[in-house]
PDB file of all heavy atoms in Angstrom:
ATOM      1  N   ARG A 143    -100.166  -2.135 174.103  1.00  0.00           N
ATOM      2  CA  ARG A 143     -99.620  -0.959 173.433  1.00  0.00           C
ATOM      3  C   ARG A 143    -100.227  -0.804 172.047  1.00  0.00           C
ATOM      4  O   ARG A 143    -100.725  -1.758 171.459  1.00  0.00           O
ATOM      5  CB  ARG A 143     -98.098  -1.073 173.293  1.00  0.00           C
ATOM      6  CG  ARG A 143     -97.362  -0.909 174.619  1.00  0.00           C
ATOM      7  CD  ARG A 143     -96.966  -2.230 175.214  1.00  0.00           C
ATOM      8  NE  ARG A 143     -95.896  -2.880 174.473  1.00  0.00           N
ATOM      9  CZ  ARG A 143     -95.615  -4.177 174.573  1.00  0.00           C
ATOM     10  NH1 ARG A 143     -96.341  -4.947 175.349  1.00  0.00           N
ATOM     11  NH2 ARG A 143     -94.633  -4.702 173.891  1.00  0.00           N
ATOM     12  N   THR A 144    -100.113   0.385 171.578  1.00  0.00           N
ATOM     13  CA  THR A 144    -100.582   0.656 170.226  1.00  0.00           C
ATOM     14  C   THR A 144     -99.703   1.736 169.619  1.00  0.00           C
ATOM     15  O   THR A 144     -98.773   2.225 170.256  1.00  0.00           O
ATOM     16  CB  THR A 144    -102.059   1.081 170.228  1.00  0.00           C
ATOM     17  OG1 THR A 144    -102.514   1.152 168.885  1.00  0.00           O
ATOM     18  CG2 THR A 144    -102.230   2.422 170.898  1.00  0.00           C
ATOM     19  N   LEU A 145     -99.978   2.070 168.410  1.00  0.00           N
ATOM     20  CA  LEU A 145     -99.176   3.092 167.748  1.00  0.00           C
ATOM     21  C   LEU A 145     -99.415   4.457 168.383  1.00  0.00           C
ATOM     22  O   LEU A 145    -100.464   4.717 168.953  1.00  0.00           O
ATOM     23  CB  LEU A 145     -99.541   3.153 166.262  1.00  0.00           C
ATOM     24  CG  LEU A 145     -98.956   2.055 165.386  1.00  0.00           C
ATOM     25  CD1 LEU A 145     -99.576   2.128 164.006  1.00  0.00           C
ATOM     26  CD2 LEU A 145     -97.445   2.170 165.305  1.00  0.00           C
ATOM     27  N   LEU A 146     -98.443   5.301 168.242  1.00  0.00           N
ATOM     28  CA  LEU A 146     -98.555   6.670 168.725  1.00  0.00           C
ATOM     29  C   LEU A 146     -99.165   7.520 167.614  1.00  0.00           C
ATOM     30  O   LEU A 146     -98.905   7.309 166.432  1.00  0.00           O
ATOM     31  CB  LEU A 146     -97.164   7.188 169.098  1.00  0.00           C
ATOM     32  CG  LEU A 146     -97.082   8.502 169.859  1.00  0.00           C
ATOM     33  CD1 LEU A 146     -97.730   8.345 171.237  1.00  0.00           C
ATOM     34  CD2 LEU A 146     -95.620   8.891 170.036  1.00  0.00           C
ATOM     35  N   CYS A 147     -99.977   8.453 168.019  1.00  0.00           N
ATOM     36  CA  CYS A 147    -100.601   9.351 167.047  1.00  0.00           C
ATOM     37  C   CYS A 147     -99.522  10.107 166.274  1.00  0.00           C
ATOM     38  O   CYS A 147     -98.626  10.718 166.864  1.00  0.00           O
ATOM     39  CB  CYS A 147    -101.526  10.334 167.763  1.00  0.00           C
ATOM     40  SG  CYS A 147    -102.228  11.575 166.664  1.00  0.00           S
ATOM     41  N   ASP A 148     -99.614  10.036 164.972  1.00  0.00           N
ATOM     42  CA  ASP A 148     -98.621  10.713 164.131  1.00  0.00           C
ATOM     43  C   ASP A 148     -98.760  12.232 164.185  1.00  0.00           C
ATOM     44  O   ASP A 148     -97.817  12.953 163.886  1.00  0.00           O
ATOM     45  CB  ASP A 148     -98.770  10.261 162.670  1.00  0.00           C
ATOM     46  CG  ASP A 148     -98.244   8.849 162.494  1.00  0.00           C
ATOM     47  OD1 ASP A 148     -97.390   8.438 163.318  1.00  0.00           O
ATOM     48  OD2 ASP A 148     -98.678   8.168 161.565  1.00  0.00           O
ATOM     49  N   ARG A 149     -99.940  12.674 164.550  1.00  0.00           N
ATOM     50  CA  ARG A 149    -100.181  14.114 164.464  1.00  0.00           C
ATOM     51  C   ARG A 149     -99.769  14.837 165.750  1.00  0.00           C
ATOM     52  O   ARG A 149     -98.937  15.726 165.727  1.00  0.00           O
ATOM     53  CB  ARG A 149    -101.658  14.379 164.155  1.00  0.00           C
ATOM     54  CG  ARG A 149    -101.939  15.830 163.855  1.00  0.00           C
ATOM     55  CD  ARG A 149    -103.185  15.975 163.013  1.00  0.00           C
ATOM     56  NE  ARG A 149    -103.068  15.365 161.690  1.00  0.00           N
ATOM     57  CZ  ARG A 149    -104.035  15.359 160.794  1.00  0.00           C
ATOM     58  NH1 ARG A 149    -105.170  15.914 161.057  1.00  0.00           N
ATOM     59  NH2 ARG A 149    -103.862  14.780 159.619  1.00  0.00           N
ATOM     60  N   CYS A 150    -100.348  14.398 166.862  1.00  0.00           N
ATOM     61  CA  CYS A 150    -100.034  15.098 168.110  1.00  0.00           C
ATOM     62  C   CYS A 150     -98.838  14.473 168.806  1.00  0.00           C
ATOM     63  O   CYS A 150     -98.164  15.137 169.600  1.00  0.00           O
ATOM     64  CB  CYS A 150    -101.247  15.106 169.043  1.00  0.00           C
ATOM     65  SG  CYS A 150    -101.735  13.470 169.628  1.00  0.00           S
ATOM     66  N   GLY A 151     -98.571  13.215 168.514  1.00  0.00           N
ATOM     67  CA  GLY A 151     -97.426  12.565 169.130  1.00  0.00           C
ATOM     68  C   GLY A 151     -97.570  12.360 170.625  1.00  0.00           C
ATOM     69  O   GLY A 151     -96.604  12.080 171.320  1.00  0.00           O
ATOM     70  N   LEU A 152     -98.801  12.476 171.108  1.00  0.00           N
ATOM     71  CA  LEU A 152     -99.002  12.382 172.554  1.00  0.00           C
ATOM     72  C   LEU A 152     -99.959  11.264 172.941  1.00  0.00           C
ATOM     73  O   LEU A 152     -99.815  10.651 173.979  1.00  0.00           O
ATOM     74  CB  LEU A 152     -99.568  13.715 173.096  1.00  0.00           C
ATOM     75  CG  LEU A 152     -98.679  14.932 172.925  1.00  0.00           C
ATOM     76  CD1 LEU A 152     -99.437  16.188 173.322  1.00  0.00           C
ATOM     77  CD2 LEU A 152     -97.418  14.785 173.767  1.00  0.00           C
ATOM     78  N   GLN A 153    -100.924  11.032 172.088  1.00  0.00           N
ATOM     79  CA  GLN A 153    -101.986  10.101 172.426  1.00  0.00           C
ATOM     80  C   GLN A 153    -101.850   8.823 171.603  1.00  0.00           C
ATOM     81  O   GLN A 153    -101.258   8.825 170.529  1.00  0.00           O
ATOM     82  CB  GLN A 153    -103.346  10.748 172.153  1.00  0.00           C
ATOM     83  CG  GLN A 153    -103.617  11.985 172.981  1.00  0.00           C
ATOM     84  CD  GLN A 153    -103.787  11.650 174.447  1.00  0.00           C
ATOM     85  OE1 GLN A 153    -104.398  10.653 174.813  1.00  0.00           O
ATOM     86  NE2 GLN A 153    -103.208  12.495 175.307  1.00  0.00           N
ATOM     87  N   PRO A 154    -102.417   7.734 172.128  1.00  0.00           N
ATOM     88  CA  PRO A 154    -102.404   6.494 171.359  1.00  0.00           C
ATOM     89  C   PRO A 154    -103.297   6.595 170.130  1.00  0.00           C
ATOM     90  O   PRO A 154    -104.406   7.118 170.221  1.00  0.00           O
ATOM     91  CB  PRO A 154    -102.932   5.463 172.357  1.00  0.00           C
ATOM     92  CG  PRO A 154    -103.718   6.250 173.341  1.00  0.00           C
ATOM     93  CD  PRO A 154    -103.053   7.593 173.432  1.00  0.00           C
ATOM     94  N   ALA A 155    -102.800   6.129 169.035  1.00  0.00           N
ATOM     95  CA  ALA A 155    -103.583   6.182 167.801  1.00  0.00           C
ATOM     96  C   ALA A 155    -104.689   5.144 167.853  1.00  0.00           C
ATOM     97  O   ALA A 155    -104.498   4.046 168.359  1.00  0.00           O
ATOM     98  CB  ALA A 155    -102.685   5.947 166.607  1.00  0.00           C
ATOM     99  N   SER A 156    -105.823   5.524 167.347  1.00  0.00           N
ATOM    100  CA  SER A 156    -106.933   4.580 167.308  1.00  0.00           C
ATOM    101  C   SER A 156    -107.327   4.229 165.890  1.00  0.00           C
ATOM    102  O   SER A 156    -107.938   3.206 165.658  1.00  0.00           O
ATOM    103  CB  SER A 156    -108.136   5.153 168.069  1.00  0.00           C
ATOM    104  OG  SER A 156    -108.508   6.387 167.516  1.00  0.00           O
ATOM    105  N   VAL A 157    -106.981   5.080 164.959  1.00  0.00           N
ATOM    106  CA  VAL A 157    -107.323   4.788 163.573  1.00  0.00           C
ATOM    107  C   VAL A 157    -106.153   5.145 162.658  1.00  0.00           C
ATOM    108  O   VAL A 157    -105.300   5.955 163.004  1.00  0.00           O
ATOM    109  CB  VAL A 157    -108.576   5.572 163.106  1.00  0.00           C
ATOM    110  CG1 VAL A 157    -109.793   5.169 163.893  1.00  0.00           C
ATOM    111  CG2 VAL A 157    -108.349   7.044 163.189  1.00  0.00           C
TER     112      VAL A 157
END
Side-chain angles (χ1 to χ4, degrees):
Chain A
R143 288 100 71 198
T144 188
L145 282 171
L146 191 65
C147 175
D148 286 336
R149 188 156 296 179
C150 65
L152 298 172
Q153 298 292 320
S156 58
V157 297

